[in-house]
């Protein structure tokens, strides 16, 4: 593993970065701990004002950041620009709402006095982030934790180092003090060293099951609270009375957006028998209409994958699925380019023994299943090791919500695509991980929920006050 920007459209090695030294890590820990101490007495509104400045700075640098992201990992430049704007929205939202979100919660109690839970910062958070949304993944942890008063050390993916570096520079240029969010090109061992350090009191990882297990193991060993945002095989369920114009207009987009490299991409389309043929025909037609090309060209609609390695892995998964009996219902024609393009494909007839049935395909491959009842649709959606998100289309949204609540995932959107917004909790169950990011739930991931019970005097006549419980 080396930190390198390799443009997946041209294969050019654009920049290489040396690993961080151990003393750089020690300096970052020391400065992070110092910021945490200072934040304890700083009015939260001051951090809110700086976070608004971060949002403004990101918008000011939107074109530059979009280009950096596209060169790092290949996504369409319009998608990169959208990601920068989403980061600014998240920053503004936490700047505006954190004071209220972090207000103490009072508790009705039979204890003598008034009880409340206060939400205090805990220290330095070690964050480990993936390449597929190089900026948004940072912001999901940075904005809420900065407002809480935690500082952060970032280890970003080896293939998006320039995005990580520039994002953190812009945060500092906007006025956030050095040491609040430090990007370091760490080795895996240095990540473990950071987790072991007593100044680190939280660990947030977004990534694969493999990366998640290693980092969660280190967090467990050193008893550090952690959140894990891992992979997904999200179902897209189409009930028999769904509006098929809406369904067909959306289905291809939610599979091909970011070249299919999204944890919450719809990876399994579970379609009722009466609309199955119409669905499949439309999906083929829409997959066939994409236009591969330079992702920096706004006219391009199919981007390359993020690396050659990712493309090769997906190809071998597709080959294995077909060898195990799946039918290749469609694949895009050959693409005349040396870029890391993967020809969008549609698989059908995947039976439960096929490796594609339970393994995440992180790229533009859609798996389509035919079902004959809602029960069968729900059972198929749930017969999966992952439980991140999902989409469900139904003629009646209320009925759709009832069916959605039987799907074992952390999020389901009815008659709409998944929109990740700061006010909405994001996360999953099963192998998709645990904990939530964003919203109040996510903001409280790394806080000391300190109980304060305040009385004028002890009251030994009070049934609880008369008891000593330790
Ligand atoms: P990955 O290999 O797990 O990498 C994610 C991050 O973890 C990278 O920074 C990686 O560093 C680091 N990492 C991996 N192993 C590590 C270890 N032993 N110690 C320390 N750091 C380690 O994930 P990926 O395959 O690149 O990312 C795609 C996966 O992320 C997919 O499964 C996708 O579904 C999931 N994802 C989930 C969410 C969510 O919110 N639930 C969002 C986006 C993506 P290196 O790059 O240096 O290896």
């Amino acid at each position: 593993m080396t930190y390198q920007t390799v443009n997946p459209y041209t294969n050019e090695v654009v920049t290489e970065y040396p690993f961080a030294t151990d003393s750089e890590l020690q300096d970052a820990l020391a400065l992070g701990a110092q910021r945490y101490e200072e934040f304890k007495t700083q009015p939260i509104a001051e951090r809110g004002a700086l976070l608004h400045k971060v949002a403004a700075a990101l918008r000011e640098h939107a074109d530059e950041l979009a280009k950096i992201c596209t060169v790092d990992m290949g996504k369409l430049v319009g998608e990169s620009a959208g990601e920068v704007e989403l980061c600014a929205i998240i920053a503004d939202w936490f700047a505006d709402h954190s004071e209220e979100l972090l207000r103490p919660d009072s508790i009705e109690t039979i204890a003598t006095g008034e009880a409340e839970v206060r939400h205090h910062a805990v220290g330095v958070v070690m964050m480990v982030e993936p390449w597929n949304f190089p900026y948004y993944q940072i912001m999901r942890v940075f904005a809420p934790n900065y407002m809480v008063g935690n500082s952060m050390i970032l280890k970003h993916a080896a293939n998006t180092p320039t995005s990580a570096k520039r994002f953190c520079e812009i945060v500092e240029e906007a006025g956030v003090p050095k040491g609040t969010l430090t990007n370091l090109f760490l080795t895996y061992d240095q990540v473990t060293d950071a987790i072991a350090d007593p100044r680190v009191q939280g660990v947030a990882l977004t990534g694969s099951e493999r990366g998640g297990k290693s980092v969660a193991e280190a967090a467990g060993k050193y008893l550090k609270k952690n959140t894990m945002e891992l992979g997904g095989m999200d179902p897209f369920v189409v009930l028999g009375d769904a509006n098929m114009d809406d369904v067909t207009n959306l289905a291809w987009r939610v599979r091909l957006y970011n070249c299919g490299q999204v944890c919450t991409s719809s990876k399994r389309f579970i379609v009722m028998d009466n609309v199955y043929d119409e669905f499949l025909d439309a999906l083929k037609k829409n997959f066939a209409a994409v236009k591969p090309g330079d992702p920096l060209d706004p006219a391009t609609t199919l981007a390359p994958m993020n690396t050659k390695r990712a493309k090769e892995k997906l190809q071998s998964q597709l080959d294995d699925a077909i060898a195990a009996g799946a039918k290749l219902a469609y694949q895009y024609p050959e693409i005349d380019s040396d870029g890391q393009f993967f020809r969008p494909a549609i698989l059908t007839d995947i039976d439960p023994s096929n490796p594609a049935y339970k393994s995440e395909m992180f790229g533009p491959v859609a798996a389509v299943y035919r079902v004959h009842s809602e029960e069968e649709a729900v059972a198929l959606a749930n017969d999966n090791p992952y439980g991140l998100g999902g989409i469900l289309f139904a003629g009646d949204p209320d009925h759709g919500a009832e069916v959605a609540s039987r799907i074992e995932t952390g999020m389901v959107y009815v008659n709409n695509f998944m929109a990740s917004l700061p006010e909405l909790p994001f996360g999953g169950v099963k192998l998709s991980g645990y904990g939530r990011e964003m919203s109040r739930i996510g903001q409280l991931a790394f806080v000391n929920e300190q109980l304060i019970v305040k009385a004028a005097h002890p009251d030994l006549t009070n049934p609880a006050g008369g008891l000593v419980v330790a």
Side-chain angles (χ1 to χ4, degrees), residues 326-339:
K327 189 173 147 208
L328 185 64
Y330 172 79
Q331 187 157 31
Y332 195 86
E334 289 297 337
I335 297 168
D336 182 19
S337 165
D338 291 332

Side-chain angles (χ1 to χ4, degrees), residues 1-3 19 126-133 136-137 140 154-160 186-192 195 205-215 218 228-233 261-265 267 306 309 313 360 362 386 388 411 426-428 432-433 437:
M1 174 195 83
T2 49
Y3 287 89
F19 287 116
M126 178 67 231
M127 57 196 272
V128 180
E129 301 300 333
W131 46 267
N132 63 341
F133 290 93
Y136 154 79
Q137 297 291 355
R140 278 200 333 197
L154 166 67
K155 181 257 177 278
H156 215 309
N159 61 323
T160 46
L186 298 176
T187 63
Y188 291 174
D189 285 346
Q190 286 172 320
V191 170
T192 303
I195 293 171
L205 176 136
T206 296
S208 65
E209 198 187 319
R210 177 190 62 84
K213 272 185 183 159
S214 309
V215 171
M228 290 288 141
E229 296 285 354
L230 308 179
M233 290 183 69
Q261 304 164 114
V262 185
C263 52
T264 52
S265 285
K267 297 182 184 120
N306 75 101
R309 194 164 58 108
K313 179 177 174 194
E360 182 186 32
F362 213 55
Y386 295 99
L388 191 55
M411 311 164 271
F426 188 104
S432 295
E437 288 185 347

Side-chain angles (χ1 to χ4, degrees), residues 79-208:
E79 293 177 350
S80 298
E83 182 177 339
V84 176
E85 176 56 25
L86 176 58
C87 289
I89 290 171
I90 294 170
D92 278 336
W93 192 84
F94 279 103
D96 285 336
H97 295 278
S98 291
E99 199 157 351
E100 186 194 327
L101 297 176
L102 295 170
R103 214 164 261 151
D105 294 316
S106 58
I107 300 177
E108 269 189 41
T109 174
I110 61 167
T112 301
E114 292 161 23
E116 67 178 24
V117 170
R118 298 182 183 189
H119 313 291
H120 298 299
V122 288
V124 183
V125 173
M126 178 67 231
M127 57 196 272
V128 180
E129 301 300 333
W131 46 267
N132 63 341
F133 290 93
Y135 303 132
Y136 154 79
Q137 297 291 355
I138 307 176
M139 187 55 92
R140 278 200 333 197
V141 178
F142 167 65
N145 278 289
Y146 174 49
M147 292 307 294
V148 161
N150 291 324
S151 56
M152 284 144 274
I153 293 177
L154 166 67
K155 181 257 177 278
H156 215 309
N159 61 323
T160 46
T162 312
S163 302
K165 179 172 173 287
R166 193 66 192 116
F167 184 98
C168 294
E169 284 169 0
I170 287 174
V171 166
E172 256 180 62
E173 285 162 19
V176 173
K178 191 174 167 58
T180 306
L181 171 68
T182 307
N183 174 58
L184 289 175
F185 298 126
L186 298 176
T187 63
Y188 291 174
D189 285 346
Q190 286 172 320
V191 170
T192 303
D193 293 346
I195 293 171
D197 191 283
R199 290 165 289 193
V200 168
Q201 285 300 319
V203 179
L205 176 136
T206 296
S208 65

